[in-house]
Amino acid sequence: MRRLSSLAWRNLQARLLRSVLTAAGVALGVAVLFASLSASATMDAAVSRAAADEMGHSALRVQALEERGLSRETVALVTKAAGVEVAAPALERKTYLAPSAALTPSATLPAPVTVLGIDAVAEPKLHDMPLSGGRLLTAADTLSAVITETLASGERLQIGDPITLNGAGSGPTDFSIVGIVAGDGSVPEAAGRLVMVPLSSAQALFGVTGVTRIDLSTGPGVTADELIGQLEATIKTEPYLLARTSDIADSLRAETADFRGTLLLVAAVVLFAGAFLIFNTLSMTVTERSREVGLLRAAGTTRSQVMGLVLLQAFALGAIGSAVGVVAGVGLSSLALSWVNSTGPISLDAPDISIGSVLLALLIGVLVTLAASLEPAWRAGRIPPVEAFRRGPKGAVAGAARLRWLVLVFAVLAIAALAVWPSGSPGGSGATLAAGGLTLSFGLLGPLVVYGLMLVAVLIVPVILGPLLRLAGIPFRVFRNEERLARSSLARDISRTTLTAGALVMGLAMVVALGTAAASVRQIGQRWLAETIPGSELLTSIHPISPTDPAIEEIAALPGVKSISPIALFGVPLGGVRQEAAAISGKDFAADGRLVFVPDGGDPATAFAALDAGGAVIVPKSLANQSDILLGDTLTFATGETQTKLRVVGIVAHSLPGDSQEAVLVGWTDALGPFGATGADFFAVRYQPGLESAARPEVDATASQYALESADLGSVRGTVGDALDRVFRLLDALALVAVLIAGLGLANTLSMSVLERGREIGVLRAIGMSSRQIWGMVVIEAGILGLAGALIGAVLGLLVGGLLVAWSSGGFGLTFDPPWVSIALAVSFGVLISVTASIYPAGVASRQSIVRALQHE
Amino acid sequence: MRDGTILEARNLTKRFRIGNRDVEVLRGISLKVQRGEFVAVMGPSGSGKSTLLQLLGGLDRPTSGDVILDGEIVSQLSDREATHLRREKTGFVFQFFNLIPLLDVYENVALPYTIAGVDPRHGAAAARIRDVLEMVNLVWCERNRPDQLSAGEQQRVALARALVGSPALLLADEPTGNLDYATGGEILNELWRSCDERGQTIVLVTHDARAAAHADRVLVMGDGKIRDEIQLGRRKDSGAGPLIARLAQLGL
Ligand SMILES: Nc1ncnc2c1ncn2[C@@H]1O[C@H](COP(=O)(O)OP(=O)(O)OP(=O)(O)O)[C@@H](O)[C@H]1O
Ligand SMILES: [Mg+2]
């Protein structure tokens, strides 16, 4: 041994199992951290890519706010605006390919396609269209189409084939495919099913004269900001939104920020659990070796050399663990991404494995390990040289671990988490029922509070552990002696027991909290839909249908149908921003008794009548509170030259959920008139009581003939719930890693304590305990500890879950309804892991030879 | 041979707090040890022998009084200074657990060099290690780990390690307490030879008169004080007869 530092290595090697378990704990923590960082980075990259795809080479997008789009006059004004180099107007609509729309009854509808009407000359200048065959559109084309490779292969289409598109105004129209562009095309939402046709043909097909957007590039020396100023001064007649690539990326990013934040929170908790393992293992090692340290000190080793030895061991464990963790994290993150992929608004590729995130994960892993080892190192340095004089096999001088040092570890992790916290996280809180699924949003404060609660909980564990151990021992009372002995050995060093149980507590708390939150969010969704939708089934159309369409009358006349009510969702300009609005039929809502009016929020009958008469609006309480809107106020909507003024006739507790906010409710006359809606997006169907199951098949069959997709409220909940479940299940799986770490910690602690108690076990054997009983004693010790930890974890989890729910309940006055079955499962899992972890140490203890144990010095 | 005092204790006291009660273990001990002298400290169990040894070696601080080792006031050093003093001037042998179980014999003996940051495998250090290993007759097992050695061999390793740095003072606390008579005798003979041949100053704590009989002078402790002092002088024959006779005379 040339250098003293080699002693650190020798120590690690001498207790190989312990070192491996500890490094594995670090590895698991870092794996989850890396997976979360890399998933986050991947989402970020995908968002930027989606935004870049969407915008191409354009500097700015002018987006129509209303459904009828931007008029010819506006397009002309924008095109001629100073500073504009190229202006590419386009109309985007969804439709079905004919003849697939003429479906056999009860068949499910195929995936729709997105039709993009483009300016054949301007569009290619702003958006890359790499051809994989044929040619691009020219100004001379009329009924020609360019489709994406993805659509071509999906529908087995070739150049020269006709493609039949269902229109809105006119009937199905045949286009001839002249070109195929590589890949998915430039509209991310189309998911590759994109058909590009000349703008005028698209307008004719859908019976509109406007465009959805105009993409612009700026002339030399003109910045996007200058152009924004220019346009704002020029176009005043119609409502529109201006967006740069970065704006689009930001809004997409905000959609994923909460998910990424939660992922990070889980990673922090898991890593914190890993830090417990380090802290505990090194603490025990120091205690175990205190005589050795005393000897070294007596021979002239300085305090800092002793501390250095401990820190060096920690560094080695941390570095090896982190490196393994990063490798495991790569696998974990691709698993996680493929699991989430189907739910997110953007599609994700392989995980982002940048040098940056690798280094960051390594750095955080090592830093956390070092932070966790500072206290044991410091304590080792304080071991006095006289410790070498002790005769007993181990000294108590090294003392118990000081739990308050965990605050340091906690702080290191919190700072690391803040440094990588996803940008674009909305500051507010509340639940929104987004198109893709319900999202929980807590801002930054929430996760910090949750995280802090974990620490506080672990710090109070020592106080409640005594009685809790007794409680947790009850199920094991059948083995009276073993239970007593096991419990007393747990109570011997409370801080060690706390640290061992700590990881379990946090992991299970996280699982239970997420489960509770998920159940509540699902419940919110159910209540929300039930409160605001006048029906038990929704018939959805991909493009607006007139509320008086013959199809609707036909369905309304079917036996068993009580009512069918048209609903449209669209955007309206209010106070300079886009506000989501819904057109509803007041009469139907009144008859069905939907919506809950707040006190002083108006009289339902009057309000619904006013809505149908026109000039009236019902606002959700959230908006009323936020913008100080009172009953009787007038809201002014900037609809073109003539503003639309609507009187507030009602304030409701909850309104229809839009894409990102609750909609304001207007009557159909205003929607079709000044707001430019062209028809209903879905119809709510209410059946006669008891006739639903009998009447459903015919309704669905008729609906699908008219290209209406049917879904009952339950299955809307279902899709919402499914997406949510996947996300929560992922988070759960990650949180369970903390439970696994707890298992490693337990195996570690028990192995050490069995060694430490060698003499004691020898005495027990000598006075007649069988090796089976010794085995049972160790396993019961783990069982009691596991049960106690799991119980604390469950209670803490319910508390945290309750907080999450309270933050996001959106005023539904949720009954606290935790998923007891899953909680029971989680608790059992915790106990199972503990008991499993104890099998090896129990074996070691029971096989120990009595003679050796007794002569053991 | 006796050229001055190397170790001096002046009116040492040591109190321990046990619970809420102070226990005075040493109550004013003064002594002088000459360079090259072999001094044994005897006394019944609990009389404070080990405590005294800890104070003399700078492992602990007295409650009051001073320890002066080779001109330095040990009892007033900072932890850092005391550590360096131990590294350079003292060597210890304890009754139990003298060796780091992870290190082999050679590495255990080399430990003082390793701690000081000197590569013990080359140069003067290697020569010195070999020298002490030869002296205690352990060259044959230098690659063995402590648990592969007998208790006597382990103690000889500990002695070699204590001697390897040529300390000004060797402190031994019951180094033979764990050993049978013959094996213990070997260790004591090694100690005596290092004193006689190399002029090593030794303070040996023991409750065994046969062990103490190897010393030049025996201090008898009782009740936290030095009760008596017995001059035996340097003798080739370490028979315990005269000492036992004196002790009996003193009624011990
Ligand atoms: N760190 C300590 N804290 C409290 N009391 C102590 C401490 N060290 C020693 N003592 C007490 O001081 C007294 C003297 O102990 P010491 O070990 O010096 O005796 P000893 O003479 O070496 O005994 P033995 O022959 O059994 O080794 C004992 O009563 C012991 O309990
Ligand atoms: Mg003693």
Side-chain angles (χ1 to χ4, degrees):
Chain A
M1 194 179 72
R2 201 172 56 206
R3 295 208 265 136
L4 192 60
S5 53
S6 328
L7 197 52
W9 270 114
R10 299 281 182 95
N11 274 331
L12 292 178
Q13 282 171 342
R15 296 262 180 258
L16 197 58
L17 177 72
R18 183 188 303 179
S19 303
V20 167
L21 288 179
T22 311
V26 176
L28 285 174
V30 171
V32 171
L33 173 74
F34 181 77
S36 126
L37 286 177
S38 131
S40 201
T42 310
M43 287 182 166
D44 229 24
V47 158
S48 303
R49 211 175 39 239
D53 280 357
E54 182 130 15
M55 289 292 277
H57 305 295
S58 18
L60 207 60
R61 166 166 291 186
V62 184
Q63 180 90 46
L65 225 163
E66 295 175 321
E67 207 159 72
R68 69 184 145 207
L70 298 166
S71 65
R72 271 184 227 287
E73 293 74 40
T74 304
V75 174
L77 272 175
V78 170
T79 311
K80 284 200 292 270
V84 171
E85 191 178 48
V86 179
L91 172 70
E92 186 186 320
R93 280 283 192 275
K94 276 196 160 91
T95 189
Y96 290 107
L97 292 179
S100 21
L103 291 155
T104 48
S106 85
T108 49
L109 286 170
V113 295
T114 299
V115 175
L116 191 68
I118 58 171
D119 179 324
V121 181
E123 188 75 8
K125 291 185 186 159
L126 296 185
H127 295 277
D128 291 332
M129 296 183 190
L131 280 172
S132 70
R135 62 173 177 84
L136 293 178
L137 294 173
T138 65
D141 283 320
T142 49
L143 291 178
S144 308
V146 171
I147 65 173
T148 56
E149 218 173 356
T150 313
L151 182 64
S153 66
E155 299 287 331
R156 294 205 193 82
L157 292 170
Q158 287 171 348
I159 291 171
D161 285 351
I163 181 168
T164 313
L165 300 173
N166 273 311
S170 55
T173 309
D174 276 349
F175 288 78
S176 154
I177 298 173
V178 298
I180 295 177
V181 292
D184 280 353
S186 62
V187 182
E189 274 131 56
R193 297 178 61 85
L194 183 67
V195 183
M196 286 176 285
V197 300
L199 177 58
S200 51
S201 311
Q203 288 171 328
L205 180 66
F206 295 107
V208 294
T209 56
V211 301
T212 332
R213 54 91 169 158
I214 314 170
D215 281 352
L216 303 175
S217 70
T218 55
V222 184
T223 67
D225 288 332
E226 284 163 7
L227 191 54
I228 289 175
Q230 183 69 35
L231 290 173
E232 279 171 349
T234 317
I235 325 170
K236 296 215 148 76
T237 49
E238 279 179 321
Y240 60 92
L241 288 174
L242 289 173
R244 282 164 294 207
T245 311
S246 58
D247 300 330
I248 292 184
D250 283 349
S251 70
L252 283 172
R253 203 165 279 138
E255 282 181 43
T256 62
D258 278 312
F259 173 68
R260 289 183 292 148
T262 316
L263 211 54
L264 211 56
L265 172 67
V266 173
V269 169
V270 172
L271 204 56
F272 197 31
F276 272 53
L277 183 59
I278 296 276
F279 188 69
N280 205 12
T281 307
L282 289 174
S283 275
M284 283 190 279
T285 306
V286 165
T287 310
E288 193 184 82
R289 295 186 181 275
S290 58
R291 270 210 315 181
E292 219 169 300
V293 173
L295 195 66
L296 285 172
R297 294 276 285 133
T301 313
T302 60
R303 272 186 191 166
S304 31
Q305 280 177 315
V306 170
M307 281 184 73
L309 280 178
V310 177
L311 288 178
L312 200 63
Q313 291 183 45
F315 179 80
L317 290 174
I320 294 171
S322 301
V324 174
V326 166
V327 174
V330 173
L332 193 61
S333 81
S334 19
L335 273 178
L337 285 174
S338 63
W339 181 256
V340 188
N341 214 352
S342 48
T343 67
I346 38 182
S347 76
L348 305 164
D349 301 335
D352 179 274
I353 306 166
S354 65
I355 293 293
S357 52
V358 169
L359 288 182
L360 190 65
L362 285 176
L363 183 74
I364 295 181
V366 170
L367 271 185
V368 167
T369 312
L370 285 180
S373 64
L374 273 181
E375 196 267 354
W378 183 83
R379 204 145 33 82
R382 310 303 298 184
I383 291 177
V386 290
E387 193 68 7
F389 281 78
R390 289 197 170 264
R391 290 186 183 180
K394 63 146 192 155
V397 167
R402 273 158 238 250
L403 293 175
R404 58 190 143 86
W405 271 75
L406 281 171
V407 176
L408 179 75
V409 184
F410 174 82
V412 167
L413 260 171
I415 291 168
L418 282 181
V420 296
W421 195 256
S423 58
S425 205
S429 63
T432 53
L433 192 57
L438 283 166
T439 56
L440 279 171
S441 94
F442 318 114
L444 181 56
L445 186 70
L448 271 183
V449 171
V450 169
Y451 182 53
L453 242 144
M454 299 277 171
L455 178 73
V456 173
V458 171
L459 292 183
I460 59 164
V461 166
V463 183
I464 53 173
L465 202 60
L468 201 67
L469 287 177
R470 199 154 304 146
L471 182 72
I474 292 174
F476 303 96
R477 281 282 162 82
V478 228
F479 312 98
R480 209 162 172 78
N481 289 323
E482 289 93 324
E483 192 262 340
R484 279 270 306 282
L485 285 168
R487 195 145 48 75
S488 71
S489 90
L490 284 172
R492 189 176 321 190
D493 186 346
I494 287 285
S495 73
R496 177 197 290 193
T497 307
T498 302
L499 284 169
T500 312
L504 191 66
V505 168
M506 288 195 296
L508 286 177
M510 223 43 217
V511 173
V512 170
L514 290 169
T516 308
S520 303
V521 171
R522 220 169 291 138
Q523 204 187 40
I524 295 173
Q526 288 170 14
R527 294 210 187 170
W528 199 314
L529 291 179
E531 186 177 312
T532 57
I533 299 212
S536 57
E537 181 180 12
L538 288 177
L539 302 178
T540 314
S541 168
I542 52 166
H543 51 72
I545 295 186
S546 160
T548 53
D549 195 275
I552 304 310
E553 278 164 33
E554 189 181 329
I555 293 171
L558 290 174
V561 176
K562 185 171 165 214
S563 69
I564 177 162
S565 182
I567 298 173
L569 281 174
F570 49 90
V572 294
L574 177 64
V577 295
R578 181 177 191 272
Q579 165 67 44
E580 293 196 40
I584 61 166
S585 152
K587 182 169 61 71
D588 297 345
F589 271 66
D592 204 57
R594 289 309 93 190
L595 299 184
V596 177
F597 284 69
V598 300
D600 296 329
D603 164 58
T606 339
F608 286 133
L611 218 56
D612 285 347
V617 62
I618 293 176
V619 299
K621 191 175 78 184
S622 57
L623 180 67
N625 288 347
Q626 188 191 319
S627 314
D628 284 328
I629 299 169
L630 296 174
L631 193 69
D633 283 359
T634 301
L635 295 187
T636 306
F637 298 88
T639 45
E641 284 152 285
T642 56
Q643 296 186 321
T644 307
K645 291 181 189 297
L646 302 181
R647 192 167 44 83
V648 176
V649 296
I651 298 174
V652 291
H654 304 100
S655 129
L656 289 166
D659 277 346
S660 59
Q661 55 182 173
E662 288 182 72
V664 297
L665 305 174
V666 300
W668 272 105
T669 38
D670 293 319
L672 294 173
F675 290 125
T678 49
D681 299 298
F682 54 91
F683 296 85
V685 180
R686 181 71 78 195
Y687 291 94
Q688 310 276 9
L691 296 182
E692 172 154 6
S693 48
R696 267 296 285 278
E698 210 182 333
V699 168
D700 290 355
T702 316
S704 82
Q705 274 169 21
Y706 293 103
L708 288 169
E709 197 168 9
S710 80
D712 61 17
L713 237 43
S715 78
V716 172
R717 280 175 223 145
T719 40
V720 168
D722 280 353
L724 196 69
D725 281 347
R726 288 176 80 83
V727 168
F728 273 108
R729 234 174 284 147
L730 169 74
L731 294 172
D732 265 356
L734 294 182
L736 280 177
V737 174
V739 180
L740 276 184
I741 294 180
L744 295 179
L746 205 89
N748 235 353
T749 313
L750 283 178
S751 301
M752 274 189 254
S753 102
V754 160
L755 275 180
E756 243 173 45
R757 288 183 295 172
R759 204 178 265 273
E760 211 176 297
I761 291 173
V763 171
L764 288 173
R765 294 276 279 127
I767 60 176
M769 229 171 147
S770 72
S771 69
R772 272 190 78 85
Q773 282 172 310
I774 297 285
W775 189 89
M777 182 182 79
V778 177
V779 171
I780 287 173
E781 194 175 322
I784 294 178
L785 186 65
L787 188 56
L791 289 179
I792 302 176
V795 171
L796 178 64
L798 287 173
L799 199 69
V800 170
L803 271 181
L804 293 182
V805 172
W807 273 322
S808 61
S809 67
F812 276 93
L814 284 179
T815 48
F816 188 54
D817 187 19
W820 294 113
V821 176
S822 352
I823 293 176
L825 277 177
V827 169
S828 325
F829 182 69
V831 177
L832 187 74
I833 287 276
S834 306
V835 169
T836 312
S838 72
I839 288 182
Y840 174 75
V844 170
S846 66
R847 280 193 304 271
Q848 201 160 7
S849 116
I850 307 178
V851 183
R852 277 203 61 138
L854 287 179
Q855 66 185 188
H856 178 71
E857 199 277 275
Chain B
M1 205 202 243
R2 302 200 169 178
D3 45 0
T5 303
I6 193 164
L7 175 71
E8 183 177 358
R10 290 186 192 146
N11 210 13
L12 286 182
T13 67
K14 179 75 182 173
R15 269 195 298 273
F16 287 113
R17 206 172 170 81
I18 302 174
N20 49 8
R21 192 168 66 88
D22 273 341
V23 180
E24 189 152 32
V25 175
L26 301 183
R27 318 176 170 208
I29 290 200
S30 298
L31 59 85
K32 280 188 182 177
V33 177
Q34 303 301 314
R35 202 177 290 275
E37 199 182 8
F38 187 161
V39 175
V41 179
M42 285 190 74
S45 186
S47 56
K49 304 183 296 292
S50 296
T51 307
L52 174 63
L53 200 75
Q54 288 161 10
L55 298 184
L56 295 180
L59 296 182
D60 205 355
R61 286 173 171 222
T63 309
S64 70
D66 282 319
V67 175
I68 299 148
L69 173 60
D70 210 9
E72 276 187 87
I73 305 184
V74 175
S75 41
Q76 284 170 12
L77 297 180
S78 71
D79 176 76
R80 199 185 165 73
E81 292 161 333
T83 304
H84 277 271
L85 178 102
R86 288 201 292 276
R87 202 185 273 178
E88 273 140 32
K89 301 216 164 140
T90 63
F92 284 95
V93 182
F94 311 109
Q95 180 176 359
F96 299 105
F97 201 82
N98 272 293
L99 308 176
I100 306 281
L102 295 177
L103 305 181
D104 66 25
V105 166
Y106 188 93
E107 289 167 329
N108 263 295
V109 173
L111 204 55
Y113 289 107
T114 315
I115 291 171
V118 176
D119 186 345
R121 296 175 310 177
H122 307 286
R128 175 73 190 150
I129 294 164
R130 210 144 289 277
D131 186 35
V132 286
L133 281 173
E134 265 162 26
M135 188 184 110
V136 297
N137 247 322
L138 282 175
V139 181
W140 62 274
C141 65
E142 64 176 36
R143 289 288 154 235
N144 288 25
R145 286 221 317 271
D147 57 5
Q148 296 164 328
L149 301 180
S150 74
E153 285 158 354
Q154 288 185 20
Q155 270 327 57
R156 270 154 51 203
V157 177
L159 185 59
R161 191 193 53 215
L163 289 173
V164 77
S166 312
L169 176 64
L170 178 72
L171 298 158
D173 189 3
E174 313 262 17
T176 57
N178 213 18
L179 306 176
D180 62 53
Y181 180 64
T183 322
E186 279 171 38
I187 297 289
L188 290 163
N189 284 329
E190 304 284 8
L191 275 177
W192 187 83
R193 280 202 296 129
S194 74
C195 176
D196 192 52
E197 292 168 13
R198 306 182 181 213
Q200 178 67 56
T201 314
I202 299 175
V203 174
L204 167 73
V205 161
T206 182
H207 55 247
D208 179 2
R210 280 175 305 213
H214 287 74
D216 305 335
R217 183 158 57 108
V218 179
L219 302 176
V220 182
M221 281 185 73
D223 227 5
K225 292 196 169 126
I226 295 188
R227 293 263 153 224
D228 225 317
E229 187 176 329
I230 302 165
Q231 281 290 350
L232 295 171
R234 182 70 49 90
R235 300 148 299 140
K236 282 264 177 278
D237 140 60
S238 58
L243 176 61
I244 293 173
R246 279 299 305 273
L247 289 172
Q249 238 173 37
L250 291 167
L252 291 168

